[in-house]
Amino acid sequence: MVLGIVGTLTWTIDGKAIAVGPGQAVCIPRGAVHRFDNFGTEDAKQLSSVTPAIMGPGYFREASALVNAATSGPPDTATMVEIFRKHGMTIAALPPTR
């Protein structure tokens, strides 16, 4: 489950785009191919609850360190893909370039 706090992220879940803004939520079924994009002009914050816990704290530490190190744009895609794979996630497709 993902709950919007600030800004809006567009989640694409099994090919369907769903905008999630403050106070809105979406559930991602286990095994569903999903991604998110921030198409807006403001930063976004969302709260995620993952049950059962398939990703451990190491994933979140590594991913947040990479995101926080990206001061002038999105994090390095290749490094993020390495982190995903290291923690057992499968990449369905890389995001489109803008």
Side-chain angles (χ1 to χ4, degrees):
M1 189 270 310
V2 178
L3 173 67
I5 306 294
V6 175
T8 299
L9 292 180
T10 299
W11 286 84
T12 303
I13 304 168
D14 284 337
K16 181 180 178 189
I18 303 165
V20 179
Q24 297 175 318
V26 66
C27 290
I28 302 167
R30 186 177 183 92
V33 175
H34 61 281
R35 60 173 286 116
F36 68 87
D37 295 282
N38 184 347
F39 295 123
T41 57
E42 68 178 314
D43 290 345
K45 290 184 182 181
Q46 299 201 339
L47 174 67
S48 298
S49 174
V50 180
T51 58
I54 59 171
M55 298 174 289
Y59 162 75
F60 291 101
R61 281 194 281 277
E62 290 181 49
S64 66
L66 182 63
V67 168
N68 290 333
T71 58
S72 62
D76 179 70
T77 302
T79 304
M80 187 60 84
V81 167
E82 288 176 28
I83 292 170
F84 289 158
R85 289 187 175 138
K86 177 180 175 183
H87 293 279
M89 289 174 253
T90 301
I91 306 300
L94 292 177
T97 56
R98 295 200 252 174

